[in-house]
């Protein structure tokens, strides 16, 4: 067995031997494991029902709800992993940043962070700030049985973008203005965010998460030179901070075809690939020693079944030679996706790859 995924005390041997964790470790699998980014929430009617009248961030602080919402897609689709129901901005809220998640928009920060004085508002995250996370992960690992739980956090660059812009941004202009205009302040900001992200991941791992994913969703907005110089060191710091636990670390961003080589160096065990680069080409760019996760275009789930299966087959074919492949979408499930299409996709991948 490789160094990753020594049983941690929380994990049973059935979890450690699951197809998902085997694929993360690049070991032979009984079938290609599959899960979906943003599988919890979004398209599920049972999700909308339990969330009725409860604000997004409030729901993240209620372990009973978090447990139920995390389990919903596992029950319905028979996916090979659960993703913890939370949000990348939860740790920022937990240290007192005045932000909200607005339906249909995303995270909005009341007072953006743009100066040295603003940095003081970014204190370190203590486990006591997110006790509801510890509690929810504990409840989940008890309920999930052999199905691994993926914990997650936002990467320093993606969090910085929300904090500096004050909300979602297409061009990240204020973010880049700070990055180019005040490299010292930028480095300090990213370093603090790396600390907060690492602490948030540690809480989830110590409570029983079997793997963690770092979402650097907006890193694709950067050139490879800027990524290497101004962003990579902070992400390296996060992966190093959780390396000792021996749980697989996944690294994902959107539009990152040009960055895959650099992202492969950040230290993760698994690199997520969006749908713009074929999996075999992605493997060449990432280099040896990493498993890959991806990469069906989420919009393909809107096509007729035969077309969807043809596109899924292409992903499987392109990933055939990889030592470790976790089937996923190239980005999150789109909100209006038919849940039955997701269930059919899981069945298809399992049937086609069963040995
Ligand atoms: O199913 C899962 O993946 C688990 C839960 C999860 C959520 N957000 C719940 C959520 C995860 C892993 C995230 C990560 C996240 N949050 C990312 C990285 C992944 C990505 O898509 O690139 C980002 C960039 C965010 C920030 C954020 N939060 C956005 C852009 C939005 C969407 C706004 C909208 O309404 O479309 C949110 C809100 C959010 N996070 C929702 C959910 C289920 C929707 C809110 C609701 O249902 O009321």
């Amino acid at each position: 067995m490789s160094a990753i995924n020594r049983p941690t005390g929380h994990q049973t041997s059935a979890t450690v031997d699951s197809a998902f964790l085997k694929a993360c470790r690049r070991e032979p699998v009984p079938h290609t494991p599959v899960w979906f980014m943003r599988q919890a929430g979004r398209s599920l009617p049972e999700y909308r029902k339990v969330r009725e009248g409860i604000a997004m961030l409030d729901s993240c602080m209620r372990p009973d709800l978090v447990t139920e919402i995390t389990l919903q897609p596992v029950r319905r689709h028979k996916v090979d992993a659960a993703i913890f129901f939370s949000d990348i901005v939860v740790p920022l809220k937990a240290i007192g940043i005045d932000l909200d998640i607005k339906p249909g928009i995303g995270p909005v920060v009341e007072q953006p962070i743009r100066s040295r004085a603003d940095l003081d508002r970014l204190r370190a995250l203590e486990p006591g700030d997110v006790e509801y996370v510890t509690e929810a992960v504990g409840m989940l690992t008890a309920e999930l049985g052999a199905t691994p739980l993926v914990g997650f956090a936002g990467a320093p660059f993606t969090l910085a973008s929300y904090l500096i812009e004050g909300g979602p941004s297409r061009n990240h202009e204020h973010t880049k203005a700070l990055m180019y205009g005040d490299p010292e302040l930028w480095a300090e900001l990213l370093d603090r965010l790396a600390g907060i992200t690492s602490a948030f991941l540690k809480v989830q791992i110590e409570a029983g998460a079997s793997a963690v994913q770092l979402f650097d969703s907006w890193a694709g907005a950067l050139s490879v030179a800027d990524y290497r110089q101004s962003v990579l060191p902070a992400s390296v710091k996060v992966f190093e901070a959780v390396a000792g636990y021996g749980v697989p670390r996944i690294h994902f961003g959107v539009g990152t075809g040009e960055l895959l080589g650099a992202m492969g160096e950040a230290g993760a065990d698994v690199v997520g690939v969006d749908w713009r680069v074929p999996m075999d080409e992605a493997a060449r760019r990432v280099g040896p020693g990493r498993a890959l996760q991806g990469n069906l275009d989420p919009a393909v789930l809107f096509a007729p079944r035969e077309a969807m299966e043809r596109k899924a087959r292409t992903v499987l074919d392109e990933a055939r030679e990889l030592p470790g492949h976790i089937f996923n979408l190239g980005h999150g499930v789109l909100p209006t996706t038919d849940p039955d299409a997701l269930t059919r996709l899981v069945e298809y991948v399992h049937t086609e790859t069963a040995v």
Side-chain angles (χ1 to χ4, degrees):
M1 189 184 276
S2 62
I4 53 172
N5 264 145
R6 292 170 266 109
T8 60
H10 291 282
Q11 301 187 93
T12 62
S13 59
T15 316
V16 172
D17 288 340
S18 63
F20 169 74
L21 291 177
K22 278 182 188 264
C24 290
R25 298 192 300 263
R26 290 173 289 123
E27 292 169 7
V29 285
H31 60 265
T32 298
V34 45
W35 70 280
F36 305 117
M37 295 183 278
R38 313 300 291 271
Q39 67 190 15
R42 293 252 151 150
S43 65
L44 299 187
E46 58 269 36
Y47 167 70
R48 287 196 285 272
K49 188 146 175 270
V50 296
R51 274 288 316 284
E52 240 168 66
I54 305 171
M56 174 63 192
L57 282 171
D58 291 341
S59 66
C60 295
M61 294 175 198
R62 287 187 36 183
D64 57 334
L65 264 184
V66 171
T67 303
E68 168 59 20
I69 296 170
T70 303
L71 291 171
Q72 284 175 348
V74 180
R75 285 189 206 116
R76 189 190 257 266
H77 306 308
K78 310 277 183 282
V79 279
D80 293 273
I83 173 100
F84 187 63
F85 183 77
S86 186
D87 195 83
I88 59 168
V89 295
V90 163
L92 301 178
K93 180 82 181 173
I95 59 163
I97 300 290
D98 189 5
L99 62 82
D100 198 7
I101 295 181
K102 300 245 157 76
I105 299 172
V108 176
V109 180
E110 199 55 47
Q111 289 178 292
I113 298 234
R114 293 187 184 163
S115 69
R116 183 158 296 276
D118 292 334
L119 267 194
D120 294 340
R121 285 152 51 206
L122 277 183
R123 69 162 174 85
L125 179 83
E126 307 291 340
D129 297 321
V130 286
E131 267 167 17
Y132 45 87
V133 169
T134 300
E135 195 180 331
V137 171
M139 286 165 73
L140 272 165
T141 41
E143 293 262 345
L144 277 165
T147 306
L149 177 68
V150 182
F152 75 92
F157 173 76
T158 291
L159 293 179
S161 172
Y162 282 111
L163 287 172
I164 298 167
E165 304 292 337
S169 167
R170 181 184 293 263
N171 299 314
H172 310 276
E173 50 268 61
H174 297 290
T175 311
K176 290 182 179 179
L178 185 76
M179 189 175 104
Y180 299 130
D182 194 343
E184 261 180 43
L185 175 59
W186 171 261
E188 250 180 78
L189 170 62
L190 258 72
D191 196 59
R192 277 194 198 208
L193 290 170
I196 292 164
T197 287
S198 304
F200 192 56
L201 292 177
K202 283 181 185 177
V203 164
Q204 295 170 69
I205 297 169
E206 288 184 7
S210 296
V212 285
Q213 177 155 325
L214 190 68
F215 281 96
D216 208 350
S217 300
W218 312 140
L222 296 165
S223 71
V224 69
D226 289 343
Y227 178 80
R228 277 189 186 282
Q229 183 176 339
S230 307
V231 171
L232 181 61
S235 292
V236 167
K237 187 173 165 174
V238 174
F239 286 123
E240 278 175 357
V242 295
Y245 290 101
V247 303
R249 299 155 299 162
I250 312 170
H251 194 184
F252 170 77
V254 188
T256 46
E258 297 301 323
L259 303 183
L260 284 172
M263 288 176 72
E265 293 165 25
D269 308 289
V270 182
V271 176
V273 182
D274 88 355
W275 66 92
R276 293 170 181 89
V277 182
M279 293 301 274
D280 45 359
E281 173 58 21
R284 281 189 284 278
R285 294 185 189 184
V286 168
R290 309 278 185 245
L292 293 191
Q293 176 172 282
N295 73 342
L296 188 72
D297 182 344
V300 166
L301 286 149
F302 292 76
R305 181 183 190 141
E306 295 68 34
M308 181 190 80
E309 291 185 353
R310 215 166 44 241
K311 296 294 277 183
R313 183 71 253 170
T314 304
V315 170
L316 293 172
D317 288 343
E318 287 166 354
R320 198 195 305 275
E321 303 294 323
L322 304 184
H325 176 218
I326 297 129
F327 192 99
N328 205 312
L329 303 178
H331 195 186
V333 173
L334 296 166
T336 54
T337 305
D338 173 6
D340 292 340
L342 289 167
T343 307
R344 284 196 294 270
L345 178 56
V346 175
E347 269 170 23
Y348 179 78
V349 173
H350 283 170
T351 312
E352 288 291 300
T353 60
V355 292

